[in-house]
Amino acid sequence: MSQPTTSQAKPKILVQLDIDPQPSVFDGVVAVDAGVDHLFRHASVTPESARDLVHGAIFTRGAADLRATAIFIGGSDANRAEAVLKAVKKSFFGPFRVSVLFDPNGANTTAAAAVLAALEGLGGSAEGAKVAVLGGTGPVGSRVARLLAGLGAEVTVGSRDLTKAQATATDLSERVGRTIGAFAMSDLADSIKDASVVVAAGAAGVVLAPRSVLAGLSHLKVLIDLNAVPPLGIEGVEATDRHANHGGVLCWGALGVGGTKMKIHKAALRALFEKNDQVIDAEEALAIGRAL
Amino acid sequence: MSQPTTSQAKPKILVQLDIDPQPSVFDGVVAVDAGVDHLFRHASVTPESARDLVHGAIFTRGAADLRATAIFIGGSDANRAEAVLKAVKKSFFGPFRVSVLFDPNGANTTAAAAVLAALEGLGGSAEGAKVAVLGGTGPVGSRVARLLAGLGAEVTVGSRDLTKAQATATDLSERVGRTIGAFAMSDLADSIKDASVVVAAGAAGVVLAPRSVLAGLSHLKVLIDLNAVPPLGIEGVEATDRHANHGGVLCWGALGVGGTKMKIHKAALRALFEKNDQVIDAEEALAIGRAL
Amino acid sequence: MSQPTTSQAKPKILVQLDIDPQPSVFDGVVAVDAGVDHLFRHASVTPESARDLVHGAIFTRGAADLRATAIFIGGSDANRAEAVLKAVKKSFFGPFRVSVLFDPNGANTTAAAAVLAALEGLGGSAEGAKVAVLGGTGPVGSRVARLLAGLGAEVTVGSRDLTKAQATATDLSERVGRTIGAFAMSDLADSIKDASVVVAAGAAGVVLAPRSVLAGLSHLKVLIDLNAVPPLGIEGVEATDRHANHGGVLCWGALGVGGTKMKIHKAALRALFEKNDQVIDAEEALAIGRAL
């Protein structure tokens, strides 16, 4: 049912399904700037309430016009949002479906932008690169790990809680079909000593990688810090860094990655309205970013 | 205050008053496709909260521009929505009023479309036609009964619960000023033996009229099944039927009726913005459908 | 960061932060009529939930486009809305800010319009004029008192509860830097005997100033009644009065003031989108009104 040839005239409607009590203003502004004509904003969406909303989206316009309706799933808790995504996909009915962008708290578009930075820092390929993701159990960190592993990198995820890191690593390994390692942040220096790429995706305002540890990394090529609130996650990386060369290491800060994230976010929204059968999750967001 | 001659420029605002916790996406998409410029969507609306919302709609624009604002009342429970309609009408203040479309769960537009099908099947007039409405106590069935009785048909409503059918029949008879009969579904074959029109408006996925019963109806001319989820409500009628001739009986299925319903729904929304003093309930929806 | 010279193309987004369970339809319609392209309506907003919403507004568009996003704060309780205003201002981050219109229940724009009427009635200046505000502890009355005191008038506020009137007078005096008096409504005749301007801003349907009291005011020049629901607040003033001369006294009623209020409200909304660093509270609303 993709790319029907008829009517182009229907206004573009984006149904924003947000799991939080207030729908995200951020996601709304980006949608407007990506050319959405009408934004239907829903808050406190649950897997249970998603079905009727999806049916309203798929059973109104004719087949040729379905691509002018799309769904955005967002909110601050990526796991709860993922349950809504699952319910949305289950509510589709054969050809009665609309395209979906899944980007809770910007996790997918941010991870995709971080991975683009890593690829740029590595000269284009992540194949075989040793990557350490600090704060790797969170929504962004786990997606960075998943995407880079999918590109052939040897990825490890670090957390203050080793058990948590191991659980995330196991989940991701199954998902990607490739082993992802785990380490405790208390064991940082030793755990990342061979890394060529270090990505910090931890909680705001916590220094994850101090200069003393970074100094000992002899293979280091790329540093990416996704925290914009001082103190930053990686000592020595500035929030505005974007392909900045600090002593031979290429660095990206949160704002440097953020510009790319916004471009991916808008391009993904525009892509929604090209055909009615897309689900844009992390991998698709990365593909959109690579095509920019 | 209808059809003022001045300013046409004001954007069309539809205030969607939905009684459910999430405002209907379906009703929103249809509103956009009917040309509404700004949709103000309200969920969990109660008779108590309706007053302030109505006052906001009627006390902002000048008299000549009031017809560019309108109200849609919807939601899954027609009775609770009807209480909101009552509160909305009570909140108008002399010439300070805006037009209203009342269509909870599509009950009015669906019933109007079903009645149009019945009229078409009967050759244009329902006068004196014997009509049985199965599942006649629900929001759609009771409106089909009410509308056809209003057109001079001899209508009976059937329910699994005879007491409920009798209560609905009494209510409708008072409303229409014409006797409507009642029967128990357990007594179906005998109750509908003289019917020329049978309409099924019951719960989804329940066979209301098996082929064995239909075979015994010697006066049958028209079958209308409003259930789109298999098993369908009337054996032998397909969901996509639209004036389909099955052994001399003209048949309409849920999707066949649905196309007309969508046209009525959109035409009713457009009619809202022609003048500011309309209340479009079942009868007005039917009149709009007949004029299409 | 005001008045950047680049991109004008971004659609105008107004983020409506309403403290009530249903966002105001009134404020929404006025926003649309003031040219807002997309209205993001939020209900039940609290100081706690405001921060994320503000961040979504300020961290999406680039500096040159920030003025195409703005915030409206409204709702039925001016004090609770003021707490949201405080939270909104606190959430701005250096140059990352958007303009804000604060107008809970129309209190600021109504007060500004009433003050414009008083100025017109006084021939252009309130300097030294003796003004009595009946119902002066409410959101509108206290703002009328505050604005007129700010223009040099000698203002007193009246309430049925003298303690409340005194508390309001003390608060306002500190805020304006000029003494504002207080009186009990039970002592009305004596308290307002020297007044040249009397403004009634009390509860709907209560006569605050009977004809018998008004007859004894030898210096009276202007009467302004902000109550539109009969019985009106000032005997002898009609709701539609607008610079009406009743026995040598210039009179304004609620609808007469209301027309000006709407103009100020719309002009304030348009002003929001001229630069990104404005906070339009009562004083700014008055300034906008004086420039009309």
Side-chain angles (χ1 to χ4, degrees):
Chain A
M1 201 192 243
S2 55
Q3 289 168 305
T5 49
T6 51
S7 163
Q8 288 272 10
K10 290 273 190 260
K12 284 182 232 165
I13 296 174
L14 185 68
V15 182
Q16 180 182 2
L17 303 184
D18 201 303
I19 59 166
D20 295 331
Q22 296 285 358
S24 162
V25 168
F26 188 101
D27 293 333
V29 173
V30 181
V32 163
D33 286 349
V36 165
D37 295 307
H38 290 269
L39 193 55
F40 290 4
R41 308 171 81 220
H42 293 263
S44 301
V45 175
T46 59
E48 293 71 35
S49 59
R51 203 192 63 137
D52 279 358
L53 300 173
V54 172
H55 283 181
I58 63 180
F59 291 135
T60 32
R61 292 171 157 185
D65 294 319
L66 268 181
R67 62 169 165 160
T69 308
I71 291 173
F72 177 89
I73 300 171
S76 58
D77 182 324
N79 290 330
R80 283 176 50 217
E82 202 141 25
V84 170
L85 172 64
K86 201 174 283 186
V88 165
K89 290 198 276 191
K90 228 173 126 178
S91 305
F92 291 150
F93 193 78
F96 297 98
R97 52 172 59 241
V98 296
S99 288
V100 180
L101 173 56
F102 178 65
D103 199 25
N105 223 6
N108 275 336
T109 49
T110 302
V115 169
L116 283 186
L119 284 170
E120 191 181 327
L122 288 167
S125 168
E127 190 70 46
K130 290 193 165 65
V131 178
V133 183
L134 318 186
T137 59
V140 175
S142 64
R143 282 168 172 80
V144 170
R146 169 178 145 195
L147 290 174
L148 282 168
L151 294 173
E154 295 181 21
V155 181
T156 56
V157 293
S159 168
R160 276 176 305 179
D161 179 341
L162 181 59
T163 316
K164 249 176 133 180
Q166 286 169 330
T168 298
T170 304
D171 279 0
L172 293 176
S173 300
E174 279 173 26
R175 186 156 187 166
V176 183
R178 188 179 169 88
T179 304
I180 288 174
F183 62 90
M185 289 297 289
S186 57
D187 197 23
L188 182 66
D190 201 51
S191 303
I192 71 172
K193 64 177 188 297
D194 295 329
S196 59
V197 179
V198 175
V199 182
V206 177
V207 178
L208 295 177
R211 218 178 281 268
S212 57
V213 169
L214 296 171
L217 309 183
S218 51
H219 303 286
L220 191 63
K221 289 183 180 166
V222 181
L223 284 174
I224 299 170
D225 187 1
L226 299 175
N227 173 20
V229 182
L232 302 184
I234 299 180
E235 270 194 332
V237 178
E238 301 293 320
T240 51
D241 278 350
R242 183 182 178 87
H243 202 114
N245 192 321
H246 293 327
V249 178
L250 293 175
C251 297
W252 277 262
L255 302 180
V257 171
T260 308
K261 175 249 182 294
M262 290 299 278
K263 279 182 198 150
I264 296 173
H265 192 161
K266 281 182 204 170
L269 285 163
R270 284 190 296 263
L272 289 177
F273 298 99
E274 287 166 13
K275 34 190 191 141
N276 75 318
D277 58 359
Q278 303 174 83
V279 176
I280 304 179
D281 202 336
E283 287 74 12
E284 294 80 9
L286 176 59
I288 286 169
R290 299 189 82 170
L292 282 177
Chain B
M1 203 193 247
S2 55
Q3 287 167 307
T5 50
T6 51
S7 163
Q8 287 271 12
K10 291 273 190 259
K12 283 183 232 164
I13 296 174
L14 186 69
V15 182
Q16 180 181 3
L17 303 183
D18 201 303
I19 60 167
D20 294 331
Q22 296 285 357
S24 161
V25 168
F26 188 100
D27 293 332
V29 173
V30 181
V32 162
D33 286 350
V36 165
D37 295 307
H38 290 269
L39 193 55
F40 290 3
R41 307 171 82 221
H42 293 262
S44 301
V45 174
T46 60
E48 293 71 36
S49 60
R51 203 191 63 135
D52 279 357
L53 300 173
V54 172
H55 284 180
I58 64 179
F59 291 136
T60 33
R61 292 170 156 184
D65 295 318
L66 268 181
R67 62 169 164 159
T69 308
I71 291 173
F72 177 90
I73 300 171
S76 58
D77 182 325
N79 291 329
R80 283 175 50 215
E82 202 142 25
V84 170
L85 172 63
K86 201 175 281 186
V88 164
K89 290 198 276 191
K90 226 172 127 179
S91 305
F92 291 151
F93 194 79
F96 296 98
R97 51 172 57 242
V98 296
S99 287
V100 180
L101 172 56
F102 179 65
D103 200 25
N105 223 8
N108 276 335
T109 49
T110 302
V115 169
L116 283 186
L119 284 170
E120 190 181 326
L122 289 167
S125 167
E127 189 71 45
K130 291 194 166 64
V131 179
V133 183
L134 318 186
T137 60
V140 175
S142 63
R143 283 169 171 80
V144 169
R146 169 179 145 194
L147 291 173
L148 281 169
L151 294 173
E154 294 180 22
V155 180
T156 55
V157 292
S159 168
R160 276 175 306 180
D161 179 341
L162 180 60
T163 316
K164 248 176 132 180
Q166 286 168 330
T168 297
T170 304
D171 279 359
L172 292 175
S173 299
E174 279 174 26
R175 186 156 187 167
V176 184
R178 186 178 170 87
T179 303
I180 289 173
F183 62 90
M185 290 297 290
S186 57
D187 197 23
L188 182 66
D190 200 52
S191 304
I192 71 172
K193 63 177 190 297
D194 296 327
S196 59
V197 179
V198 176
V199 182
V206 176
V207 178
L208 295 177
R211 217 179 282 268
S212 58
V213 168
L214 296 171
L217 309 184
S218 51
H219 302 286
L220 192 61
K221 288 183 182 166
V222 180
L223 284 174
I224 299 170
D225 186 1
L226 299 174
N227 173 20
V229 182
L232 303 184
I234 299 180
E235 270 194 331
V237 178
E238 300 293 320
T240 51
D241 279 350
R242 184 184 179 87
H243 202 116
N245 192 322
H246 292 329
V249 177
L250 294 175
C251 298
W252 277 263
L255 302 180
V257 171
T260 307
K261 176 248 183 295
M262 289 299 278
K263 279 181 198 152
I264 296 173
H265 192 161
K266 281 183 203 169
L269 285 163
R270 283 190 297 263
L272 289 178
F273 297 99
E274 286 166 13
K275 34 191 190 139
N276 75 319
D277 58 0
Q278 303 174 85
V279 176
I280 304 179
D281 202 336
E283 286 74 11
E284 295 79 9
L286 176 59
I288 287 170
R290 299 189 82 169
L292 281 178
Chain C
M1 202 192 246
S2 55
Q3 289 167 304
T5 49
T6 50
S7 163
Q8 287 272 10
K10 291 273 190 258
K12 283 182 233 165
I13 297 174
L14 185 68
V15 182
Q16 179 181 4
L17 303 184
D18 201 304
I19 59 166
D20 294 331
Q22 297 285 357
S24 161
V25 168
F26 188 101
D27 293 332
V29 173
V30 181
V32 163
D33 286 350
V36 165
D37 296 307
H38 290 269
L39 193 56
F40 289 4
R41 307 171 81 223
H42 293 263
S44 301
V45 174
T46 60
E48 294 69 38
S49 59
R51 204 191 62 136
D52 279 358
L53 301 173
V54 172
H55 283 181
I58 64 180
F59 290 135
T60 32
R61 292 171 157 183
D65 294 319
L66 268 181
R67 63 169 164 159
T69 309
I71 291 173
F72 177 90
I73 301 171
S76 58
D77 182 324
N79 291 328
R80 284 175 50 217
E82 202 141 24
V84 170
L85 172 63
K86 201 174 282 186
V88 165
K89 290 199 277 191
K90 227 173 126 178
S91 305
F92 291 150
F93 193 79
F96 296 98
R97 52 172 57 242
V98 297
S99 288
V100 180
L101 172 55
F102 178 66
D103 199 25
N105 222 6
N108 276 335
T109 49
T110 302
V115 169
L116 283 186
L119 284 171
E120 191 181 327
L122 288 167
S125 168
E127 189 69 47
K130 290 192 165 65
V131 178
V133 183
L134 317 187
T137 58
V140 175
S142 63
R143 282 168 172 80
V144 170
R146 169 178 145 195
L147 291 174
L148 282 169
L151 294 173
E154 293 180 24
V155 181
T156 56
V157 292
S159 168
R160 276 175 307 181
D161 179 342
L162 181 59
T163 316
K164 247 175 134 180
Q166 287 168 332
T168 298
T170 304
D171 279 359
L172 293 175
S173 300
E174 278 174 26
R175 185 156 187 167
V176 183
R178 186 179 170 88
T179 303
I180 289 174
F183 62 90
M185 290 298 289
S186 57
D187 197 23
L188 182 66
D190 200 52
S191 303
I192 70 172
K193 64 176 188 296
D194 295 328
S196 59
V197 178
V198 176
V199 183
V206 177
V207 178
L208 295 177
R211 217 179 284 268
S212 57
V213 169
L214 297 171
L217 308 184
S218 52
H219 303 285
L220 191 62
K221 290 184 182 165
V222 180
L223 284 174
I224 299 170
D225 187 1
L226 299 174
N227 174 20
V229 182
L232 302 185
I234 300 181
E235 270 194 331
V237 178
E238 300 293 320
T240 52
D241 279 350
R242 182 182 180 87
H243 203 114
N245 191 322
H246 293 327
V249 177
L250 293 175
C251 297
W252 277 262
L255 301 181
V257 171
T260 308
K261 176 247 181 293
M262 289 299 277
K263 280 182 199 151
I264 296 174
H265 192 161
K266 281 182 202 168
L269 285 163
R270 283 190 297 263
L272 289 178
F273 298 98
E274 286 166 14
K275 35 190 191 138
N276 76 318
D277 58 0
Q278 303 174 83
V279 176
I280 304 180
D281 202 335
E283 287 74 11
E284 294 79 9
L286 176 59
I288 287 170
R290 298 190 81 170
L292 282 178

